[in-house]
Amino acid sequence: MPAQAAAPSQLVLVVGAEELLVDRAVARIVAAKRAVDPETETRDLTPGNFNPGTFAELVSPSLFGESRVVVVRSAQDLAADDVAMLTSVLDGLAEEITLVVVHLGGVKGKALLTAVEKAGAARVDVAKVTKPTERIAFLREEFKAARRQITEEAARALLDAVGNELRELAAAASQLIADTTDDARTPIDETVVAKYYSGRAEVSGFTVADLAVDGRTAQALEQLRWALATGTAPVLITSALAAGVRSVARVASAPRGARPADLARELGMPPWKIDKVRQQVRGWTPDGIGTALLAVAEADAAVKGGGDDPAYALERCVVTVCQARGQGTGARG
């Protein structure tokens, strides 16, 4: 008789600024919960959509005892009343509930972090990946997990072609692995990387994402079709869209008067990107951001095998993201 899967702790604290690795840590917790109960529901809350009443209901016992994972992201940015509500339930979570608190670390929101730790949370620390050698090590692990090998030179070439964003690197590695399954026992070298990604992945993916986040539908669709026609992998485009919308969400929830340099340290972004995203934030609301993130998640699933037409899924996603800008404000993109 197979051993029963172990459920995760009822209270988990995920600490770190590396978005992709944080998302993966949360995904592992959800997967562990669903291994015990496949019907487990997941709810994601951010400072923009955190409502004390709704939160209290989500972590309370349900009529039929449904299993649920409640994820509170960017907890360091919660308002004081929301922090009070969150800390008030830490010692009284319903048995079927798993509460995951995601915190950036650092000084901001330190009292909440301490309270969650004192409540007995299982802590998961996510290391920040900053050095080229660390990114190359990350790439090697991506290929190793797929039982593939990549040479040192190829890993460096992929890093040069795609850029420093871990989400982009992971998507590029995934696509490269999928595209070379016919020769899976041969290590991937720099020639293969140049054939698939050199000089195009970062530009086209981020160009589409920037236009979509700005609400420029016609231009975004034009660039999307050009990117697909020139061979850019669909998964790189969904990854760039996800990164773009998440950047807007993070900057939108930050204090308005903060200096770019301070925000750069707080959010783990370069100052130039803070300035750029601050311009993109105009017209975005929490509801719009939620709509855009859902659209990107659906498109990502479609291009990874969940849909019959990746190009159509991407076009629909781009249109939805463009329309989501201004949602709830009456503004037009």
Side-chain angles (χ1 to χ4, degrees):
M1 185 174 180
Q4 186 176 5
S9 300
Q10 272 195 282
L11 181 60
V12 185
L13 175 64
V14 179
V15 182
E18 202 66 72
E19 280 190 6
L20 174 67
L21 302 184
V22 167
D23 287 348
R24 287 182 174 181
V26 173
R28 286 193 292 270
I29 296 165
V30 173
K33 186 79 170 178
R34 285 180 174 160
V36 177
D37 184 350
E39 300 300 318
T40 295
E41 175 193 7
T42 303
R43 291 293 299 271
D44 257 73
L45 301 176
T46 66
N49 69 357
F50 189 102
N51 178 280
T54 301
F55 174 73
E57 182 179 342
L58 288 173
V59 297
S60 299
S62 63
L63 183 61
F64 300 104
E66 295 98 336
S67 175
R68 182 182 298 131
V69 178
V70 180
V71 183
V72 180
R73 299 184 185 269
S74 301
Q76 72 282 344
D77 295 324
L78 288 173
D81 290 346
D82 298 337
V83 169
M85 170 54 71
L86 195 156
T87 54
S88 72
V89 307
L90 295 178
D91 295 322
L93 293 171
E95 183 178 352
E96 64 271 19
I97 302 300
T98 292
L99 175 61
V100 182
V101 179
V102 180
H103 196 288
L104 194 62
V107 177
K108 188 177 182 182
K110 185 66 181 293
L112 173 59
L113 188 150
T114 302
V116 176
E117 285 184 319
K118 287 184 176 179
R123 176 164 172 155
V124 178
D125 285 292
V126 176
K128 181 70 175 172
V129 178
T130 57
K131 300 176 182 177
T133 53
E134 294 172 342
R135 294 188 180 94
I136 288 173
F138 167 80
L139 278 171
R140 286 185 172 278
E141 288 301 315
E142 292 294 292
F143 283 88
K144 183 179 178 181
R147 298 184 179 180
R148 299 293 302 277
Q149 292 182 340
I150 184 170
T151 66
E152 179 80 14
E153 294 78 10
R156 291 186 181 278
L158 193 58
L159 184 61
D160 290 341
V162 177
N164 293 330
E165 290 278 351
L166 284 198
R167 199 178 296 277
E168 287 293 304
L169 288 172
S174 176
Q175 189 66 39
L176 195 56
I177 290 166
D179 286 346
T180 57
T181 52
D182 291 343
D183 200 10
R185 288 180 292 183
T186 302
I188 293 170
D189 61 21
E190 65 271 31
T191 304
V192 177
V193 173
K195 176 183 176 183
Y196 284 94
Y197 294 106
S198 182
R200 73 186 185 207
E202 186 176 22
V203 174
S204 57
F206 282 112
T207 299
V208 174
D210 284 343
L211 290 168
V213 169
D214 285 339
R216 296 159 66 184
T217 307
Q219 296 95 322
L221 288 174
E222 180 183 0
Q223 289 299 311
L224 170 63
R225 289 160 188 159
W226 178 87
L228 294 174
T230 55
T232 299
V235 69
L236 292 179
I237 298 174
T238 56
S239 181
L241 285 164
V245 177
R246 285 186 180 277
S247 293
V248 167
R250 293 171 67 193
V251 173
S253 63
R256 288 180 180 242
R259 296 181 303 169
D262 295 334
L263 277 183
R265 285 191 295 271
E266 186 74 29
L267 301 180
M269 296 181 184
W272 66 264
K273 188 171 183 180
I274 296 292
D275 290 334
K276 177 181 177 181
V277 177
R278 269 183 162 171
Q279 294 178 7
Q280 294 175 324
V281 162
R282 300 188 187 108
W284 280 98
T285 65
D287 286 345
I289 290 171
T291 297
L293 286 173
L294 179 60
V296 173
E298 290 175 347
D300 190 57
V303 302
K304 290 179 178 176
D308 297 327
D309 190 342
Y312 172 73
L314 283 169
E315 288 199 6
R316 183 174 59 183
C317 174
V318 166
V319 170
T320 302
V321 171
C322 290
Q323 292 176 343
R325 182 178 180 271
Q327 182 178 329
T329 67
R332 294 182 180 179

